[in-house]
Each structure stands twice: as structure tokens, then as C-alpha cells.
Amino acid sequence: MTGRLNSAQPYVVGLFRIVVGLLFACHGAASLFGVLGGAVGTHGGTLDAGTWPGWYAALIQLVCGSLVLLGLGTRPAALLASGSMAYAYFDVHQRGALWPIENGGEPSAMFCWAFLLLVFTGSGAFGLDRLVARRAVREPAPAAPETTEAAVPA
């Protein structure tokens, strides 16, 4: 049974990456564009452009979530996303109470750990990272031009 589960691991990691990236990108889209119910606390509205930290967090959510969803630059995008969610938890939510269940920080904590996992596992199956890496392996590097030393008259 372990062998079967291990053989399915890249596919499950790929599906996990797609779902987490999509959910994260949706948070950013809601806050930036007012879709899907809008930004939290705005009654369907958006965040004012450039406001710290909310607007920047939403931009990170949209961009990094989309990159993770596509599996393109998964590890760096997941690292940035994980760090932004750690910041959100410790700077915004933990002020209210210690435990995530008490301070409303459950999504931040879950996204933080989910993205940290993707930093270490990579994109899994179905990611554009694999296509880019496969193409780089197939295409040999261009050969350096041969140089011949010209005879120098003595």
C-alpha cells in the first residue's frame, strides 16, 4: 500500500498546489477587484490602492496564488506567500488572542503552513515548472565558438 501511495504523491501534491493557489488568488481578487464578495469588512468593496498592509497583501495573494496555481516559480512564490501569511497572523490576528480559533487567524495560519509545505515539495505534477525544466534539459546549451590562435609573426 505504501508503494501505491508514494507513486501517487506527485499527483496529489499537484492537486494540493492547484487548490491552495486558487483559493489564495481568490482572496486577492476579492480584495483588489471586489469580486466574490469583495474585501473582508467592506460589504463587497475593494481595498484602497496602496494602503498598508492590506492592499499589498492582496497583491501578493493574487500574484503568488496565480503562480502557485499554475506551478510556475512555485517555490519562490510559495515562500513569499507563506511569509506574508505569517506576518498577517502575528501582526494582525495574534493581537486579538493567542489561538487562531479565538483571533480569526485560522486562514492565515493554514495558508502559511500550506505554502511552506510547497516550498519544500515543489510543484508536484501538472505544474509549468516541470515543462520549463524538461525543455531546458532537452535543448542543449549552444556550443562555444572555436577560437584559433592566429600565428603571430616573430
Side-chain angles (χ1 to χ4, degrees):
M1 178 148 162
T2 301
R4 287 176 129 183
L5 292 174
N6 287 343
S7 67
Q9 183 175 352
Y11 304 104
V12 174
V13 169
L15 291 172
F16 176 78
R17 172 188 50 78
I18 290 168
V19 169
V20 169
L22 177 64
L23 292 174
F24 202 59
C26 285
H27 275 277
S31 297
L32 293 174
F33 307 122
V35 297
L36 305 169
V40 174
T42 64
H43 304 292
T46 62
L47 298 175
D48 293 332
T51 56
W52 177 258
W55 187 84
Y56 292 96
L59 187 63
I60 289 171
Q61 291 167 357
L62 181 63
V63 172
C64 291
S66 298
L67 288 171
V68 168
L69 168 67
L70 296 171
L72 185 61
T74 301
R75 289 175 187 228
L79 182 64
L80 180 58
S82 178
S84 74
M85 289 295 96
Y87 176 85
Y89 181 76
F90 288 111
D91 189 62
V92 177
H93 296 286
Q94 201 174 45
R95 290 180 185 179
L98 176 64
W99 296 101
I101 191 77
E102 296 175 311
N103 64 28
E106 290 168 307
S108 297
M110 289 296 295
F111 275 125
C112 178
W113 286 103
F115 283 119
L116 188 62
L117 178 65
L118 289 172
V119 170
F120 289 94
T121 62
S123 62
F126 319 119
L128 294 180
D129 286 341
R130 285 186 168 208
L131 293 177
V132 172
R134 196 175 302 148
R135 178 171 286 164
V137 169
R138 276 193 220 150
E139 295 176 6
E146 290 185 33
T147 57
T148 56
E149 293 182 26
V152 178

